[in-house]
Amino acid sequence: MEKWKWKFQNFMRGRNGLDELARDVTIAAVIVYVLSVLLKGMLLYLISLGGIVYGIFRMFSSNVTKRQQENQIYIDRKKMYKFRFEQHKSYRIFKCKGCGRKVRVPRGKGKVEITCPLCGRKIIRRT
């Protein structure tokens, strides 16, 4: 058994291994697979199979720098969406009609006049 363990460790040397993106894709694929079994859906089965294959591809990939860049982009986006979700609870976000900039205003302040910091356009909105 020790011999096989050493061979596998030697095989994985220089490979990407399990990162956050591969883990999340594989978990999502397994969940979709369970749904495909329950709903008897061929399309869901194919999607889950593709996710599992992609997760395994990421784990065994020897192009480590490319996989690390992809993983970093995934982690950054995941943090951004989590931050936006948390901000959405306590702030309202309005889009300026002049320049398209998003302006964040605290919730529960009633009717307020919002001034765009980029173009200076003023709008009145209820928070």
Side-chain angles (χ1 to χ4, degrees):
M1 190 65 168
E2 198 66 31
K3 179 181 174 183
W4 290 104
K5 183 179 174 183
W6 181 82
K7 282 188 177 187
F8 184 71
Q9 286 175 343
N10 196 30
F11 172 74
M12 288 302 289
R13 190 169 291 128
R15 307 226 183 242
N16 188 46
L18 185 64
D19 58 7
E20 193 169 345
L21 177 57
R23 185 194 68 208
D24 290 353
V25 165
T26 305
I27 289 171
V30 168
I31 291 170
V32 171
Y33 175 74
V34 170
L35 286 174
S36 76
V37 169
L38 293 175
L39 301 175
K40 296 181 173 92
M42 188 61 167
L43 180 63
L44 289 175
Y45 172 74
L46 292 174
I47 291 171
S48 70
L49 186 63
I52 292 171
V53 167
Y54 181 68
I56 291 172
F57 162 75
R58 285 193 58 80
M59 286 185 245
F60 293 132
S61 175
S62 58
N63 191 353
V64 177
T65 55
K66 183 72 172 166
R67 300 294 90 78
Q68 286 176 345
Q69 288 173 350
E70 293 168 352
N71 189 49
Q72 191 59 47
I73 290 170
Y74 172 72
I75 290 170
D76 292 343
R77 286 187 180 166
K78 190 174 172 182
K79 284 181 186 176
M80 179 186 64
Y81 286 122
K82 184 178 178 184
F83 177 75
R84 281 186 182 174
F85 181 74
E86 290 169 353
Q87 290 289 315
H88 188 67
K89 294 176 188 175
S90 54
Y91 292 96
R92 281 273 320 256
I93 298 173
F94 297 102
K95 190 172 184 179
C96 176
K97 293 186 192 291
C99 63
R101 168 117 183 213
K102 293 182 180 178
V103 181
R104 187 179 71 156
V105 180
R107 286 186 179 270
K109 298 292 182 186
K111 218 175 207 184
V112 294
E113 183 180 50
I114 304 163
T115 305
C116 177
L118 195 61
C119 67
R121 188 175 190 165
K122 295 183 186 221
I123 54 172
I124 297 174
R125 293 281 192 257
R126 182 173 288 288
T127 59

